Amino acid sequence: MEAVLHNPETWRPARGKVGMASLIAMESFFFAGFIVAYLFYIGKSAVGPYPREVLELRPVLWNSAALIGSSFTIMAAVRGLARGHMGGMRFWLLATMLLGGWFLWGTWVEWRGLIWERGLTIRTNLFGTTFYSLVGFHAFHVTVGLLALLTFWVLAMLGRLKPARDTIRFELVSWYWHFVDVVWILVFTSVYIVGMRA
Amino acid sequence: MSTLHASPHAANPAKGVFERLHAWAITVDHKKLGVMYVLAGLVFFVVAGLEATAMRLQLIKPMNDLLTPQGFNQMFTMHGTTMVFLVGMPILLGVGNYLVPLMIGARDMAFPRLNAFGFWLFIFGALLLYFSWIGGDGLYGAGGAPDVGWFAYSPLTSKTFSRGNSTDYWILGIMVSGFGSMTTAINFMATILCMRCPGMTLMRMPLLVWMMLVVAVLVLTAIPVLTAAQVMLLLDRSLGAHFFDPQQQGSTVLWQHLFWFFGHPEVYILILPPFGFISEIVPVFSRKVIFGYALMVAATVGIGFISLGVWAHHMFVVGLPPWLNALFAASTFLISVPTGIKIFNWLGTMWGGRIRFASPMLFASGFLGMFVIGGLTGIMLAVVPFTHQLSDSYFVVGHFHYVLFGGTVFAIFAAITFWFPKVTGRMMSERLNAWSFWILLIGFNLVFLPMHFSGMLGMPRRIYTYQPGRGFELWNLISTIGVPVQIVGVALFVWSMLRGLLKGPVAGNDPWDAWTLEWATTSPPPEHNFDRIPVCTSARPLWDRKNPQDPDCNYE
Amino acid sequence: MACAAAHASEPVICAPDATLPVINPAIFDTASPPARQIESMAWLVMGICAGIFVVVEGLLVYSIVKFRRRASDRGEPVQLYGSNPIELAWTVVPLLIVFTLALVTIRVIRDIERTDPPEGAMPIVAIGHQWWWEYRYPDPDAAGGEVVTANELVVPVGRPIWLRLESADVIHSWWVPALAGKTDLVPNQTNHTWFVAEKPGLFLGQCAEYCGNQHAGMLLRVSAVPQEQFDAWRSAQAAPPVNEPAVARGRDIFLDLACSTCHSVQGVSDGAFAPDLTHLASRQTIASGMAPLTRENLRAWIADPQVLKPQCNMPSLKLSDEELDAVTDYLLTLK
C-alpha cells in the first residue's frame, strides 16, 4: 500500500481536490483585482463621506466573528459526516448556515445604514465604488456557498447522504467555505483597518 | 506494434442527420468537444480574416473612403477581439481538449460535463459579441459593434465617450466566453494532475501536456483579473461607479494595469500550446527524440512564471516612473531567454536527424522561421527607448502578427495536418497542404513584413486612413496585395481538410510512425479511447514498444 | 515676420515661414537629442538582433538542407537526448546578451525620460482633445503673456522645449518621431516630454493612441524657426485679435450661432471645446492639419466639417452661401 501511495508512477491526487483548488486559485485572482483597486484608491476620493466618518467597527467585528466561527463549525460537520454521525453533521451544518446567514444579515444592516442614512452609494465617490464592489462580491460568494451548504443540509435531512461517497464532496464545499472566510479576513483588513487610516 | 485493439468504430447506418447532430449537441466526450472547439474557431478565423480584409482594402491608398472612420474602428476592434478570444483560445484549448486525455492514457477529461458547459459558454459568449453588429445600437441610436479596440482603454470606454451598448456587448461577450475558458482550465489541471496512466510521471508527459498544464495555470491567474476589470467597467457604465473615472480621481491607467496583467499572460496562452505542437511534430519528422526534455520543461515553467511579471511593457509610453519602466524592461528581456532556449532545443532536435518534410514539418519549419523574427522584434520592443518610437505604430502590428500568425496560426495548421488522420481516420492530401503552405508563407510575409517599415516611417496603429506624402503608401500597398495571396492559402487549406474528410485514404492507427499514446489507439479513437489503460514506460511509450532493444527508459 | 495683406481670395501667408523644409515622421531622420539617443540605441539592438537572426535562421536552413532524409537512409538516426554543456551554453549566452541590453536600456531610459526640465528649457503645455491639440505658452517673461493656440506648435530652433502633456478627455499620444519618442496624454495625469529642434523645419507627426473616430485626423505640426522669428510670432500671437469693421457681419454670425459656444476668440467669445481661433489666419492648416488653410478649404470646412473629417465633433450649421462668405471673411482676418 505504501509503495502504491507514494510511488510517483501510480499515485495521483483526487480530481475533486485539484478542481476545487483550481477554482479557489481563480477566485483569489478575481478578488485580488478588487482588493488592489480598493487599496490603490484609499485616500483618493474627491468628495466624502470618507471611511472614518461612516464605517462602524463593532458590528462588523461581530459579523466577522460569526463568519470565522462558521469555519470551525463546518470542520465539525465534515468530521461528523466522515465518521457517519449524521445527527452531528446536520447540527454543525445548520450552525454553519446560521452563522453565515448572520454574516449576510449583518452586512445588509450595515449597508442599509450606509446607503439610506449616510448617503454612501457605489456612485458617490471612489470609496463607495470600491467598498460596495469588494464587500458585495464577497457577500455574493458567501451566498453561493450558503446555497451549496443548504443543498447538503436538505440532502442530509432527507437521509440521502452516504459518508463513503459524499464526505469528499462535502469536504470540497468546506474548502470553498474556508476560502470565503480567508477572503473576508483580507477584505476586513483592507477596508476596516488599512482603509480607516485614510 | 500496439497491444491495444479497439472495437470497430460502430456506425449505425440507420442514424439520421438529426440524431447525429443531437449526439454532437449533447456530447460530453472530450474528442467531440475538441473538434467542435476547433471548427468553431476556424469559422471565426475566416470571419476575423474578412474583417481584416476590409481594413486592408481601406488602407490600400491614402485618404480612402471605403469604410467610415467608425466602421474601420469597429473592424479592428472585432478583428482583434475575435482572433484572440474566438479563434486562438478555442482552437488551442480545443486541440488540448482532444489530445490531452489520449496522450496521458485516460478515457476522458476529469469533468466531462463541465467540459461541455465550458464549450457552450464559449459559443454563447461569441454569439453575444457578434450580436452587437445588429443590436449594439441599444436605445441610443449609437453603437453597433464595439469600436473601442480589443484592449478597450478607458476612458474611451466610459459612457461619455462610448455611447450606446456596443461596449457592453464587448464586455459581456468576452466575460461569458472567459468563464468557458476558466472551466476548461480547471479541467486541464484536474485531468493532467490526476488522470495520467500508471507509469506516467510528470517528467514522462508529452511536452504538449506540459504546455497545457502551464497554460491552465495562466488561464486561472490571468482571466479572472480580466473578469474583475470588465466587471469594474460594467459597474462604471451601468451603475455610475468611478473605477476608471478621471473626473472623480479614478485612474484610467488602472484599467491598463489590470488589462495587461491579463493581456500578457494571454499571449503566452496563445503561444505555449503551439510550442507544444511543434515539440511533438519536430521530433517525429526529424526521427529524433526531443533534445533536452528537462530543459524544455524548465523553460516552459519559467516562461509561465515570468509572463506574470512583464505586463507593463505594453505601457512604456503611458508615463510610468522611469524605474518601473526599467524593471519591466528587465523582466521582458529575461523572458526572451527561455523562449530562445526552446528554439535552440528544436534546432538541436533537427540536427543530426533524418527530416521528412511532410506537411506537418513544412508548417513547423515555417513556424520556426517566422516565430524567430517575431521574437527578435519583440526584443527590440523591450528596449524602452526604442519603444518610445515604435509603440502604437505599425511596427508593433508587424511584431505581433509574426508571433501570432507566423507562430500560432502556422503551428495550428501544423497541428491540424499532423492530427487530422487521428481525428478523422483519413489522410489529407500532401500536395494540397504543401501548396497551401507555400502560398500562405508568401502571402503572410507580403502582408506583415512591410508593416515594420511603415511603423518606422511614423505610421501609427488604428488609423482609418493616412496622409499622402509621408512614405506610407508603398508599404500599405504591398500589404494589401498580400491579402488575396493569404486568402488563397487559407482557402486551399480548408479545401484540403474537406477533401481529406471526404476522399482521403484511410490513415490507420499510426500513419506518421509517432511515439505518444494517442497513436496507440485507432483512428478515430473509440469513445472510451483505449480498450485497456496503457502503462507508460518513458516519455515516448511507443518508441519503447517499437525499439525494445533501445528503449528511452534506459536514458532517463 | 512678413505677413501678406489678407485678400479674400488669396491663400494666407501669415504662417511662420511657409518655406520651411518638411521633415517626415520617420524615426531615423532625427533632429533632436532624445530622438538621436533612441536612434543610436535602435541601431545597437537591431545590430544584435540581426546577428542573432543570421545565426538562428542560418542554423535552421542548414538543418533543413543537411539533415533531410535521403533515399539511402535506413532505420532511425542516433537518438541524442540532450547535452548539458550545450544546453548550458545556450542558456548563459542569451542571458549575457540580454543583460547587456538591459543595462544600456536602463541608461538611455534615464536620459530620455526626464522628470525635470533640461536647463534653459521653454515650458509649453499641450492638451489633447478629441481630435485636436491645444497649445499654451505660459512663459510670463515673453512679450504679452500667455499664448493660446491650436494644432500648430511653433518653437525656436536650438532651445530645449519642456512640453507638459495633459488631456481634456481620453488618452492621446504626442508623436513627432524626428524630435522625440512618443508620450501619452492621460486625463487626470501630467506627463512631460522634451526635445530640442536642432535645425529649422516643419516636423510632422500625429496622435499615436487610439482616441476615437478621428484618431487618424489628429495630425501634428511643429515648426522650428530662428529665435527672432519665433519672438515675432509669439508677440503677434499674444496680441488681441484683429477687429475689422468690414467683417462685422461675419463676426455677428459667429457670435449669434453656436460657433462661439465652442470656439474662443480673445475678447469676443469664450468657448472651451474647440480650437482657439484668435489667430486662425496665422496658421498653415485647418482641422488639425487635415487641409491647407485657403479660402476655399475654410469655407468648405465650415459648410460641412463632416466631409473633410467624418464623424468629428463639429456639426454643420447649415449656413447659407452669404453667411458662409461672411464668416469665412471674418475668420481670415484673424491673423
Side-chain angles (χ1 to χ4, degrees), chain B residues 70 73 147 287 289 292 317-318 325 345 354-355 369 388-389 391-392 456-458 464 469-470 540 552, chain C residues 24-25 27 57 67 69 74-76 79 81 87 90 113 175 177 182 184 189 191 205 208-210 214 311:
Chain B
Q70 191 178 38
N73 299 339
D147 63 348
R287 305 312 301 163
V289 67
V317 300
V318 157
N325 281 346
N345 279 30
R354 293 191 182 144
I355 309 176
H388 270 285
Q389 290 285 24
S391 167
D392 264 303
M456 290 201 273
L457 288 173
Y464 78 97
R470 294 193 176 196
R540 293 190 296 170
D552 271 0
Chain C
N24 269 336
I27 68 175
E57 301 276 9
F67 299 110
R69 183 181 204 89
R74 295 277 174 270
E76 310 285 26
Q79 300 295 299
Y81 292 84
E87 293 175 50
W90 67 47
E113 286 185 22
W175 191 30
K182 68 178 65 65
D184 286 356
Q189 180 177 310
N191 286 341
E209 181 58 62
Y210 177 59
Q214 273 295 338
Q311 293 166 340

Side-chain angles (χ1 to χ4, degrees), chain C residues 204-240:
Chain C
L204 300 179
Q206 62 187 102
C207 176
E209 181 58 62
Y210 177 59
C211 50
N213 288 339
Q214 273 295 338
H215 164 58
M218 248 177 105
L219 305 179
L220 284 165
R221 300 166 69 89
V222 181
S223 299
V225 296
Q227 185 69 51
E228 327 75 54
Q229 202 175 336
F230 173 77
D231 291 334
W233 174 86
R234 203 182 183 290
S235 321
Q237 292 291 311

